[in-house]
Amino acid sequence: MASGLAERKLDGLLVAFSPNLRYLTGFTGSNGSLLVLGGKSILFTDPRYRIQATQEVTCRVKTATGPLLAEVAATIARLGLKRIGYEPARTTCDSYESLKSRLPMRASLEPVKGWIEELRMVKSPAEIALIRRSVETNSRAFEQAVARVRPGMTEQDLAAELEYRMRRLGAEKPAFETIVAAGVRSALPHAQPTAARLKPRDLVLVDMGAIVNGYCSDMTRMLFLGVPAAKVKRVYRVVLQAQLAAIATVRAGASTAAVDRAARKVLKAHGLERAFVHSTGHGLGLEIHEPPRLGKRDKGRLQAGMAITIEPGVYLEGFGGIRIEDTVVVTENGCEILTPTSKELRGI
Ligand code: ZN
Ligand code: ZN
């Protein structure tokens, strides 16, 4: 971090966004501010987290009895720091104003965009091991819950079952609100589970993720109650082909747009490109959605060690939606698919 500060001509960087804070220090409390310094950094927190912080972090810990920012400002003044970076995308106007008003005249706040997020994009082997555990826990929960799916069960029942199973298997919580969408509702890419019952001949979209040791997983699979009609099978095959084509383009150095293009090309060949209304994937780690994004207009390039999802989907009003999503890790020559769950359309 010291060279990064020097490069940006900063005396310090203030980080309060909790995934960034956790990444840099290991601190998991909900209220903390890290002052990154060239030497030993200082974590400010409140008395509720005093013991936890000393157990979790190796940097200095200061427990503030009043507002954290007052303590941060006093420390900045005492150390005589002049240029202090802050994360504009993660700072409310209120805390910016409050900090600024407490700083000495000669100290300035400098916006620093996406520095820590950029570091977080490429995962260490230890982080990949945690993501792998998260993915495996998530897939096991899926298998256990799917074994209990019956017609008449509501979308909410299935979502609750999936989340219960993941917790029993060691997840802290779901990485996002579990999506279970049956029948024509599956055409809503981010549907919330309702009291609607699963009926024979329903397509059921399940999009779920777990958090294990802070790290997220993300998977979408399709179930079908009964024997799927020809159109369902046909659209499913096309989406699967698009997903496989996108996965085949993943490797270090590939542009994120090229991965997205590979999925779109397959859908276009079957006249379904307009039914694909989101990007092909996203990074994940301490957050469920983090850089890079794999969309049409994204400019990034993949690097070995990135953990990303590949999730093309087709949404047809009145028919339903089909999405297939895996979590993969980019390698020098391709990628490793972490998600162990079979990608066939699962008949119930
Ligand atoms: Zn998902
Ligand atoms: Zn996703």
Side-chain angles (χ1 to χ4, degrees):
M1 294 301 287
S3 63
L5 288 174
E7 225 172 83
R8 294 169 175 81
K9 298 187 175 59
L10 295 172
D11 300 315
L13 170 72
L14 204 53
V15 175
F17 179 54
S18 110
N20 288 351
L21 196 56
R22 179 168 184 160
Y23 179 77
L24 293 174
T25 66
F27 180 63
T28 61
S30 66
N31 188 28
S33 245
L34 178 72
L35 183 58
V36 180
L37 299 169
K40 213 163 189 190
S41 300
I42 309 170
L43 173 70
F44 299 83
T45 187
D46 68 61
R48 293 173 301 167
Y49 293 118
R50 189 182 62 81
I51 300 173
Q52 183 181 327
T54 51
Q55 290 168 346
E56 288 178 339
V57 311
T58 54
C59 63
R60 287 175 57 195
V61 176
K62 273 200 172 193
T63 315
T65 42
L68 291 196
L69 287 180
E71 193 75 35
V72 171
T75 304
I76 289 172
R78 204 179 59 251
L79 296 175
L81 308 180
K82 292 194 181 65
R83 285 171 52 89
I84 301 104
Y86 75 102
E87 303 182 284
R90 315 298 190 181
T91 308
T92 62
C93 297
D94 206 41
S95 29
Y96 175 87
E97 294 295 340
S98 157
L99 181 62
K100 201 168 168 61
S101 68
R102 287 179 159 102
L103 286 181
M105 288 295 284
R106 59 176 192 286
S108 68
L109 289 172
E110 307 293 334
V112 173
K113 288 183 185 164
W115 176 11
I116 313 301
E117 284 80 354
E118 206 180 298
L119 296 176
R120 282 174 45 203
M121 279 203 299
V122 175
K123 271 66 184 178
S124 69
E127 289 184 289
I128 291 171
L130 292 175
I131 294 170
R132 189 189 303 275
R133 264 191 64 194
S134 181
V135 166
E136 286 169 358
T137 304
N138 193 48
S139 285
R140 272 204 295 280
F142 174 79
E143 293 299 343
Q144 291 185 0
V146 165
R148 290 172 169 74
V149 172
R150 301 280 179 274
M153 190 176 196
T154 67
E155 293 173 347
Q156 284 163 336
D157 289 337
L158 178 51
E161 188 68 39
L162 291 161
E163 294 182 5
Y164 170 72
R165 293 287 149 197
M166 70 171 77
R167 277 181 186 264
R168 287 300 303 263
L169 289 165
E172 286 131 47
K173 56 182 174 182
F176 52 91
E177 284 188 50
T178 303
I179 298 170
V180 175
V184 293
R185 295 194 69 256
S186 58
L188 311 171
H190 270 191
Q192 279 194 323
T194 67
R197 295 188 184 279
L198 312 187
K199 299 186 306 293
R201 288 185 303 283
D202 263 356
L203 250 180
V204 184
L205 184 150
V206 174
D207 188 352
M208 64 187 292
I211 299 185
V212 178
N213 286 318
Y215 281 82
C216 299
S217 44
D218 196 358
M219 170 176 86
T220 308
R221 288 293 184 268
M222 302 300 307
L223 310 175
F224 195 85
L225 277 70
V227 180
K231 183 173 178 185
V232 172
K233 284 203 241 176
R234 195 173 69 238
V235 177
Y236 191 88
R237 256 200 312 272
V238 175
V239 175
L240 180 56
Q241 212 185 315
Q243 205 242 8
L244 295 174
I247 287 177
T249 62
V250 172
R251 59 174 177 75
S255 75
T256 51
V259 178
D260 181 81
R261 214 158 39 236
R264 266 171 231 285
K265 196 176 152 200
V266 173
L267 298 178
K268 190 169 183 180
H270 294 84
L272 288 167
E273 80 277 17
R274 288 167 65 90
F276 179 26
V277 294
H278 51 76
S279 55
T280 294
H282 54 87
L284 82 176
L286 287 168
E287 287 179 278
I288 182 62
H289 293 122
E290 54 180 59
R293 270 174 49 102
L294 292 93
K296 240 191 258 186
R297 288 176 202 85
D298 292 305
K299 302 248 180 310
R301 281 196 183 275
L302 296 176
Q303 297 173 56
M306 285 179 167
I308 57 173
T309 68
I310 301 293
E311 51 177 307
V314 156
Y315 310 92
L316 301 166
E317 200 175 348
F319 165 78
I322 292 174
R323 172 164 74 247
I324 303 170
E325 174 179 29
D326 286 330
T327 298
V328 312
V329 172
V330 182
T331 62
E332 286 302 335
N333 304 312
C335 69
E336 185 194 350
I337 302 172
L338 298 186
T339 312
T341 308
S342 146
K343 280 191 276 206
E344 64 190 83
L345 176 58
R346 190 79 65 106
I348 302 289

